[in-house]
Amino acid sequence: MKIIYGLIILSIIVFIHELGHLFAALISGVKVESFSIGFGPVLLHKTFKNIDWRISLIPMGGYCGMKGEAEMSEALENNEDFVEFDKDSLYGVHPLKQIFIAFAGPFANFLTAYVALVIIALTGFSYYAASSKILIATDLYPEIISPAKEAGILSGDVITEINGKSIKDFYEIYSTVAIHPDEDITVKILRNEESLTFTVHTTLDKETGTGKIGVVSDPKSVLKREAPRYSFFPALKQGFVKILDLINTTFKGIKSLFKGVKLSNSVSGPASITFMLGDTIKTGFEAGFRNGLCGILNFISIICISLFLMNLLPVPVLDGGLILIAFIEFAFKIHVSPKVRYRIQYIGFAFIGILLVIALIGDFNFFMRLFHEK
């Protein structure tokens, strides 16, 4: 059932992404020929409003088929220099409209993430976490390196701020340090009613890509805590703050991949994402409707922001590739021929191919770890 739950949510996310393209295309006067949830062989289809609506076999994707795409594919295969497109085709409209259509899909994911985070802010949730009173890891596990101890922090200190951010519990210590691997961070602590500030250089966990400072929580201080609830307008602001944090965290995660992190453990493929999403749904609702809803929405927001950023990469075969080429055509008043598109498309296929291999290895490692844990 976990896989089914995950597939349903992923299908909804894809549906929203493709709806963005659909509405933008219709607004721009581009004829939409087909709209599919999933790809591969078509299982069901129905023509409505001159659009062939489809449900296809493989649910981890989808597409919005527009007039002109088939002609462009044929021109690419034939290595042609020029093709005359109709005015109601994707490549026949003004480059700015092409940019609008390509951007609309990722932007739909961005809006989905924002709405999800606003709902979380409105709803609030409960969670269990230890206090911000820490224990030095080396006091319990002598073999572990502790940058916090090397900086002068002691067991029993209470961390109150990290890089100027107020800290309320150990979960916030973990989540804040995690996004600053191999960096100097400023840690403010409370010791015997005295406030002290230390500079700590985090270590990089090459298995996960996260930062660590060698501290553990006090298990005796674990309590059920409540995330704050916001009224409507403050929730709108909080959603914006959280989505900026999420984008920043995503960029930091990408940055850590270039620091020697084990890619196969740090990059998740579609199978493991589907399983984790399904598991979040199942275990979340076991802790209550409010926690289950917020858990799902948080996971959805993470996936949507990842899709938003990934699809905007200026790589052929992604939305960002179409945006880049359309911008070049608009800015320099030139026409990028199918022959040139064909050549640069290999870059896109190579990039996607490398990502796919890494993701599949990540999926394999994820399920192997899951198997050994059981």
Side-chain angles (χ1 to χ4, degrees):
M1 284 303 293
K2 291 179 182 179
I3 297 295
I4 294 173
Y5 292 150
L7 286 175
I8 290 171
I9 298 299
L10 277 180
S11 295
I12 292 172
I13 292 171
V14 170
F15 177 73
I16 292 170
H17 177 96
E18 297 303 329
L19 271 183
H21 290 312
L22 173 70
F23 289 134
L26 294 176
I27 291 170
S28 303
V30 172
K31 182 180 178 182
V32 176
E33 297 177 332
S34 60
F35 185 92
S36 177
I37 297 301
F39 59 93
V42 178
L43 301 178
L44 298 170
H45 73 104
K46 175 75 172 178
T47 300
F48 179 71
K49 297 286 187 181
N50 296 319
I51 300 173
D52 189 22
W53 303 87
R54 304 170 179 175
I55 296 178
S56 300
L57 180 63
I58 305 171
M60 296 179 183
Y63 56 87
C64 177
M66 292 171 249
K67 185 177 180 180
E69 290 182 308
E71 289 85 346
M72 177 60 80
S73 296
E74 186 178 335
L76 290 172
E77 290 175 7
N78 297 330
N79 210 15
E80 297 178 17
D81 285 317
F82 180 77
V83 179
E84 186 71 41
F85 291 100
D86 294 335
K87 296 296 183 182
D88 61 345
S89 70
L90 176 60
Y91 300 100
V93 297
H94 193 278
L96 288 180
K97 288 186 176 181
Q98 294 180 36
I99 292 173
F100 172 57
I101 293 168
F103 182 73
F107 185 66
N109 288 135
F110 177 89
L111 284 180
T112 302
Y114 175 71
V115 170
L117 293 170
V118 169
I119 294 173
I120 292 173
L122 288 168
T123 306
F125 57 93
S126 59
Y127 62 99
Y128 287 89
S131 71
S132 57
K133 180 181 179 180
I134 58 92
L135 303 174
I136 296 297
T138 51
D139 292 349
L140 302 174
Y141 312 101
E143 72 279 6
I144 293 177
I145 297 172
S146 177
K149 182 177 182 179
E150 293 173 359
I153 297 174
L154 306 175
S155 290
D157 289 345
V158 177
I159 295 180
T160 58
E161 285 185 17
I162 297 177
N163 283 352
K165 177 185 175 182
S166 178
I167 298 295
K168 298 188 290 293
D169 54 48
F170 193 82
Y171 171 76
E172 291 191 348
I173 296 174
Y174 170 81
S175 59
T176 304
V177 172
I179 61 174
H180 294 284
D182 194 23
E183 294 180 22
D184 284 335
I185 60 172
T186 302
V187 181
K188 184 177 287 188
I189 63 105
L190 194 63
R191 179 187 298 166
N192 299 325
E193 304 302 322
E194 182 183 3
S195 180
L196 302 172
T197 301
F198 300 89
T199 298
V200 182
H201 189 84
T202 65
T203 58
L204 168 65
D205 184 340
K206 293 190 176 182
E207 291 292 319
T208 62
T210 57
K212 296 183 180 296
I213 57 172
V215 300
V216 296
S217 63
D218 180 359
K220 297 178 182 178
S221 66
V222 175
L223 295 172
K224 185 176 183 180
R225 303 172 190 275
E226 284 287 333
R229 293 190 191 187
Y230 298 85
S231 57
F232 183 71
F233 287 107
L236 295 179
K237 179 182 177 182
Q238 183 67 9
F240 186 71
V241 169
K242 287 295 183 181
I243 208 165
L244 291 180
D245 284 345
L246 199 50
I247 291 173
N248 182 49
T249 300
T250 303
F251 276 124
K252 284 184 176 293
I254 294 171
K255 182 181 176 182
S256 72
L257 296 179
F258 298 94
K259 294 183 177 181
V261 172
K262 192 173 181 180
L263 290 177
S264 58
N265 284 348
S266 301
V267 178
S268 297
S272 55
I273 290 173
T274 302
F275 183 89
M276 288 186 288
L277 186 51
D279 190 56
T280 300
I281 295 171
K282 184 177 182 299
T283 57
F285 281 111
E286 287 175 355
F289 178 79
R290 194 161 57 102
N291 282 1
L293 177 65
C294 289
I296 295 168
L297 293 175
N298 186 60
F299 207 141
I300 287 174
S301 67
I302 293 171
I303 295 173
C304 283
I305 288 301
S306 296
L307 286 174
F308 168 71
L309 295 174
M310 186 187 77
N311 273 288
L312 289 179
L313 290 175
V315 176
V317 311
L318 295 178
D319 293 324
L322 177 58
I323 291 172
L324 176 62
I325 292 175
F327 178 77
I328 290 172
E329 290 187 333
F330 170 71
F332 297 99
K333 309 298 181 186
I334 61 173
H335 175 75
V336 179
S337 69
K339 182 180 285 188
V340 174
R341 290 174 187 261
Y342 178 79
R343 289 170 180 169
I344 64 176
Q345 202 172 56
Y346 278 110
I347 300 170
F349 284 131
F351 177 79
I352 297 300
I354 292 169
L355 278 184
L356 180 61
V357 170
I358 294 172
L360 290 176
I361 295 172
D363 278 346
F364 177 78
N365 288 341
F366 172 80
F367 286 110
M368 287 300 294
R369 290 195 300 270
L370 203 64
F371 175 77
H372 287 305
E373 285 173 5
K374 291 183 177 181

